[in-house]
Amino acid sequence: MTTLSIRKHSVLRTMIRCIGLLALLLMPSELRAAPMPSELRIDYADYNPLSYVLKKFGWLEKEFEADHVAVRWIFSEGSNQGLDFLTNGSVDFASTSALPSLISKAKGSPIKAVYIFSHPDWISLVVNRDSPIKSVRGLKGKKIAATPVTEPYFFLLRALHEVGLQKSDVIILPLNHKQGRIALETNKVDAWAGIDPYGISSQLESGSRVIYRNEAFNSNGFLTITEPFAVRYPDVVSRVIRIYERVRKWAVTHPDDLAVIYSDESGISLPIAKVTLSKVDLSRPVPAMEDIIHLREAVPVLVKEKMVSDSSVANKVIDDLVDPAFLPGK
């Protein structure tokens, strides 16, 4: 290569570096790629059994130890709280479920679901043991406890619409999952849209009775992040998901140990932990077409209840919400 050619290549490389630097400077500061955050803030939740195993084993702490990145664990009471933590910057990774995530994104939250931690059959409509209510139709005019913007809340709306009722036909008391159980068992409400393990606990310990279940109305448990975090720390996201995958595979092959850890760490009894886990499918971290179909089937109810503006917007959000690109091998 001649001296002139070398100089031309040198000038070209310098120009490319300058263009790259200019693009970086023009990019909003929160989206500029950074090598590593100083701390990872990750939630754990009763509705995400894998999070308890991950927290106990300390595999994330070990993964980022050499990078001097601390891991801080924050408890989430429900998808609504997990999404609030995520959008206000309190956590970097949140345990959420699909419909609350869809609503949050439809309202403008820049989030994406990057991993599925479970496919559960975890929700039911419950009444106390002496209740005369036998079916969803019997809920008309009744008080029902449900946590707003959570999977049980949307489950309730879909169950009502299925029998020709809507939100205005009942009185929904906005209580968190634990408060909903207490309200039911103390006769403060007539019914409760419960999620496991709280629903199972109420049934086994207090004799509460399920009046409605529908596996098709349950959606996936998502590990959710913000889009700016994904852009800034793509390698971190991939590494966290890789460790989550390690935990999932361990859980599939160690169901008894999983139940013991879930029981010990969450404070529920071992029998309740085992029943809860028996209704959770941990077999696949990537959404299948049936999962997308289940989400789309919920859209008409969301539109009727004015939770999304129209079906086209909701369906576009569904398409944009799930991003499996960070999974190993993708």
Side-chain angles (χ1 to χ4, degrees):
M1 183 180 292
T2 66
T3 301
L4 182 58
S5 297
I6 293 173
R7 287 176 178 171
K8 286 182 178 179
H9 278 78
S10 177
V11 170
L12 181 60
R13 286 196 300 269
T14 300
M15 289 176 63
I16 291 173
R17 282 197 298 269
C18 290
I19 292 171
L21 179 60
L22 179 60
L24 182 63
L25 291 173
L26 292 175
M27 184 182 296
S29 60
E30 66 271 15
L31 296 182
R32 295 175 195 161
M36 205 66 63
S38 60
E39 180 183 64
L40 277 180
R41 300 157 304 167
I42 300 180
D43 81 349
Y44 65 104
D46 291 340
Y47 50 92
N48 179 2
L50 296 185
S51 66
Y52 280 108
V53 179
L54 187 55
K55 182 173 179 287
K56 179 177 177 62
F57 284 178
W59 287 348
L60 276 179
E61 287 82 350
K62 294 173 184 175
E63 170 70 18
F64 291 98
E65 183 178 10
D67 301 298
H68 305 290
V69 176
V71 176
R72 180 153 60 96
W73 294 93
I74 299 171
F75 182 71
S76 286
E77 293 184 351
S79 285
N80 58 332
Q81 190 173 74
L83 287 163
D84 284 345
F85 285 161
L86 192 66
T87 54
N88 70 25
S90 298
V91 300
D92 303 308
F93 293 82
S95 303
T96 71
S97 48
L99 285 178
S101 301
L102 188 162
I103 296 297
S104 180
K105 191 171 182 68
K107 291 181 177 179
S109 296
I111 62 172
K112 59 173 59 184
V114 292
Y115 185 77
I116 292 179
F117 59 77
S118 72
H119 301 265
D121 180 12
W122 54 7
I123 304 168
S124 54
L125 300 184
V126 185
V127 296
N128 64 38
R129 69 167 78 201
D130 301 319
S131 173
I133 299 172
K134 305 294 184 183
S135 68
V136 177
R137 284 189 177 88
L139 296 175
K140 185 174 181 178
K142 303 299 185 183
K143 293 180 181 179
I144 307 171
T147 310
V149 200
T150 63
E151 202 67 35
Y153 184 87
F154 296 116
F155 182 98
L156 170 62
L157 295 183
R158 297 180 74 182
L160 291 172
H161 277 258
E162 188 179 47
V163 298
L165 300 175
Q166 53 191 353
K167 184 171 62 175
S168 59
D169 291 315
V170 299
I171 302 166
I172 300 178
L173 271 64
L175 302 172
N176 69 31
H177 301 314
K178 292 180 180 179
Q179 292 170 339
R181 176 188 174 180
I182 294 171
L184 177 72
E185 294 174 1
T186 56
N187 295 310
K188 298 292 194 307
V189 295
D190 301 292
W192 168 44
I195 188 170
D196 296 333
Y198 311 111
I200 293 295
S201 299
S202 186
Q203 293 164 53
L204 296 183
E205 295 173 352
S206 302
S208 299
R209 182 167 49 83
V210 173
I211 62 167
Y212 185 77
R213 294 180 63 131
N214 188 336
E215 187 175 356
F217 283 2
N218 289 260
S219 64
N220 308 317
F222 282 152
L223 188 66
T224 309
I225 62 176
T226 64
E227 293 172 351
F229 188 90
V231 171
R232 195 172 192 191
Y233 303 113
D235 182 61
V236 171
V237 176
S238 296
R239 290 167 68 181
V240 170
I241 291 175
R242 178 163 52 82
I243 299 301
Y244 245 102
E245 258 297 87
R246 182 181 169 192
V247 170
R248 184 190 66 82
K249 291 176 180 178
W250 177 92
V252 169
T253 56
H254 298 81
D256 293 336
D257 293 331
L258 171 63
V260 170
I261 291 174
Y262 185 39
S263 171
D264 289 345
E265 297 297 311
S266 67
I268 61 177
S269 72
L270 185 57
I272 290 171
K274 287 183 175 180
V275 175
T276 299
L277 291 170
S278 72
K279 299 192 296 177
V280 176
D281 177 8
L282 300 172
S283 65
R284 51 189 175 88
V286 181
M289 182 52 64
E290 65 189 81
D291 303 308
I292 303 299
I293 290 172
H294 284 168
L295 278 177
R296 294 194 189 284
E297 288 173 345
V299 168
V301 172
L302 301 180
V303 173
K304 286 180 182 178
E305 293 291 354
K306 304 187 186 313
M307 307 199 81
V308 292
S309 57
D310 59 63
S311 58
S312 62
V313 170
N315 286 318
K316 184 178 187 306
V317 170
I318 292 172
D319 292 337
D320 293 342
L321 176 63
V322 180
D323 184 357
F326 295 95
L327 282 160
K330 296 295 177 180

